């Protein structure tokens, strides 16, 4: 499906599918029918360890060295040449958690999966990258590696398969997760997540699974490096709201941190009245301190305004009101995207361009507490 979408935009460009598995990737691709017959429109389907050259060949024309002076773990990394120089790079992860990284999505998908196995693999016959970085380091070596490798070549777009999620991820590995069968850990979510900001997509993924994204070190590192947003105030979620679809994904707590959200309090705000000022109806509110963002919707579901500061005053542009009855909805979110929604009916008595306070009637008609509170 992704290849078809790409071909609609670019019928003549080269399209590669690239993957690096923990076992010989060609074997996995054959098992999963990664072939031109099943995926028409693709120019090549490439196991990264094969396309990158011979074992430990640092001079291979299939790889490029990237200097990273501000790397957290190393100052130089080796990337597949086609991967590094692609005009557009799309990450296609699955929705799941991870016993070492806490959350594995768009970023870890490439920061581990796109590492050339001929350079970083366990051996010439085993492309698994378990030994290239200490996965069990409490200081977070794995998270530093993920930050660094991703920074060498950030992705341009993400399409995450959340039709079936996996808890106790990533496989699940029964010795680690102590589960008994795959079917027990499949989470029927029926979701597709997509976006340009991979950090934001993985943040939303984390919250959908009820894991705290701010406890995932590599997400924090990438946010601090300016490579994406982790704060809900900077993330606009379209389609389904997070509180409508989130589920508890059970998983092992990683050595370097990362934990599920065990308790969430419901955000709240109180409406105390309004004033008409300079062509605006200004709602006076008393918000909880936990609120980090508000959305104002006028006669529809799409936000007219996103407010990230001064939640005490929310202004409605009177020129946007229709004569008669208007529905104003205010969503308030905390950092976990828990949400409280209040709906107001605003009735105008005169032409909207000449509205005074006496010409408006504002009534709160509904309050929906939509967050999921857990003990």
């Amino acid at each position: 499906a992704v290849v078809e979408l790409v071909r609609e935009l670019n019928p003549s460009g080269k399209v590669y599918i690239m993957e690096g598995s923990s076992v010989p990737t060609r074997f996995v691709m054959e098992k999963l029918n990664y072939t031109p017959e099943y995926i028409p429109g693709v120019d090549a389907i490439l196991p990264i360890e094969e396309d990158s050259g011979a074992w430990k060949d640092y001079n291979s024309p299939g790889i490029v060295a990237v200097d990273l002076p501000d790397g957290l773990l190393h100052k130089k990394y080796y990337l597949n040449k086609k991967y590094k120089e692609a005009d557009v790079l799309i990450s296609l992860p699955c929705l799941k958690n991870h016993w070492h990284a806490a959350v594995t999505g768009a970023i870890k998908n490439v920061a581990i999966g796109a590492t050339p196995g001929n350079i970083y693999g366990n051996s010439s016959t085993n492309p698994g990258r378990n030994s290239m970085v200490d996965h069990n380091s409490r200081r977070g070596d794995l998270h530093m590696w993920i930050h660094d490798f991703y920074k060498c070549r950030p992705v341009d777009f993400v399409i995450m398969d959340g039709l079936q999620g996996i808890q106790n991820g990533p496989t699940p590995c029964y010795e680690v997760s102590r589960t008994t069968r795959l079917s027990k850990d499949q989470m029927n979510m029926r979701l597709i997540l997509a976006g340009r900001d991979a950090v934001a997509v993985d943040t939303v993924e984390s919250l959908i699974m009820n894991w705290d994204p701010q406890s995932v070190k590599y997400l924090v590192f990438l946010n601090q490096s300016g490579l994406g947003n982790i704060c809900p105030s900077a993330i606009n979620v379209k389609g389904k709201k997070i509180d409508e679809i989130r589920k508890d994904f059970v998983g092992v707590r990683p050595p370097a941190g990362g934990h599920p959200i065990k308790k969430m309090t419901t955000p709240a705000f109180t409406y105390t009245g309004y004033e008409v000022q300079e062509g605006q109806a200004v709602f006076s509110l008393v918000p909880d301190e936990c609120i980090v963002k508000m959305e104002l919707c006028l006669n529809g579901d799409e936000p007219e305004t996103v407010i990230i500061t001064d939640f005490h005053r929310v202004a409605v542009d009177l020129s946007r009101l229709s004569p008669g009855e208007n529905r104003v909805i205010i969503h308030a979110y905390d950092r976990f995207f828990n949400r409280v929604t209040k709906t107001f009916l605003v009735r105008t008595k005169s032409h909207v361009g000449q509205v005074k306070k006496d010409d408006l009637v504002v009534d709160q008609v509904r309050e929906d507490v939509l967050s999921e509170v857990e003990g």
Side-chain angles (χ1 to χ4, degrees), residues 204-337:
V204 171
E205 174 201 20
S206 180
L207 291 169
I208 287 172
M209 299 187 296
N210 274 341
W211 282 66
D212 185 353
Q214 296 189 27
S215 72
V216 181
K217 287 184 177 178
Y218 71 82
L219 292 178
V220 175
F221 293 156
L222 289 166
N223 177 250
Q224 292 171 343
S225 293
L227 291 170
N229 293 300
I230 195 173
C231 181
S233 62
I235 300 173
N236 180 26
V237 178
K238 295 187 176 182
K240 290 285 187 180
K241 301 290 187 182
I242 291 174
D243 53 58
E244 297 172 343
I245 56 178
R246 68 191 339 156
K247 290 183 180 179
D248 286 321
F249 276 53
V250 177
V252 176
R253 291 195 180 197
H259 56 77
I261 304 166
K262 289 299 184 182
K263 185 177 182 180
M264 297 186 286
T265 57
T266 305
F269 66 91
T270 303
Y271 166 70
T272 61
Y274 71 96
E275 294 288 338
V276 175
Q277 300 175 359
E278 299 179 351
Q280 296 179 323
V282 181
F283 287 42
S284 295
L285 309 176
V286 181
D288 280 357
E289 290 185 0
C290 67
I291 292 174
V292 299
K293 179 173 73 171
M294 286 184 173
E295 292 175 343
L296 173 68
C297 304
L298 178 59
N299 295 323
D301 297 326
E302 287 298 314
E304 288 263 329
T305 307
V306 176
I307 303 111
I308 60 173
T309 59
D310 191 6
F311 304 120
H312 295 84
R313 294 166 58 82
V314 173
V316 178
D317 185 351
L318 294 176
S319 68
R320 300 286 295 158
L321 296 180
S322 302
E325 186 174 277
N326 296 266
R327 187 172 294 268
V328 174
I329 300 174
I330 299 176
H331 301 290
Y333 301 88
D334 67 7
R335 76 176 186 91
F336 299 120
F337 269 97

Side-chain angles (χ1 to χ4, degrees), residues 53-128:
W55 175 247
K56 296 299 183 182
D57 183 1
Y58 292 91
N59 296 314
S60 167
I63 62 171
V64 292
V66 178
D67 292 321
L68 199 68
D70 55 353
L72 300 181
L73 190 64
H74 302 303
K75 306 303 179 184
K76 178 181 287 188
Y77 291 85
Y78 293 89
L79 279 67
N80 175 275
K81 183 177 176 65
K82 292 186 181 72
Y83 174 90
K84 175 67 171 67
E85 297 179 356
D87 294 321
V88 177
L89 185 62
I90 302 174
S91 180
L92 302 172
C94 295
L95 178 74
K96 58 186 184 293
N97 55 13
H98 193 281
W99 63 75
H100 282 133
V103 174
T104 174
I107 293 164
K108 184 181 174 296
N109 184 52
V110 296
I112 300 297
T115 51
N118 63 313
I119 300 296
Y120 295 114
N122 296 330
S123 71
S124 60
T125 58
N126 179 359

Side-chain angles (χ1 to χ4, degrees), residues 99-100 135-143 215-217 253-258:
W99 63 75
H100 282 133
H135 286 53
N136 291 303
S137 162
R138 290 188 176 275
R139 74 167 185 165
D141 287 26
L142 174 63
H143 294 259
S215 72
V216 181
K217 287 184 177 178
R253 291 195 180 197

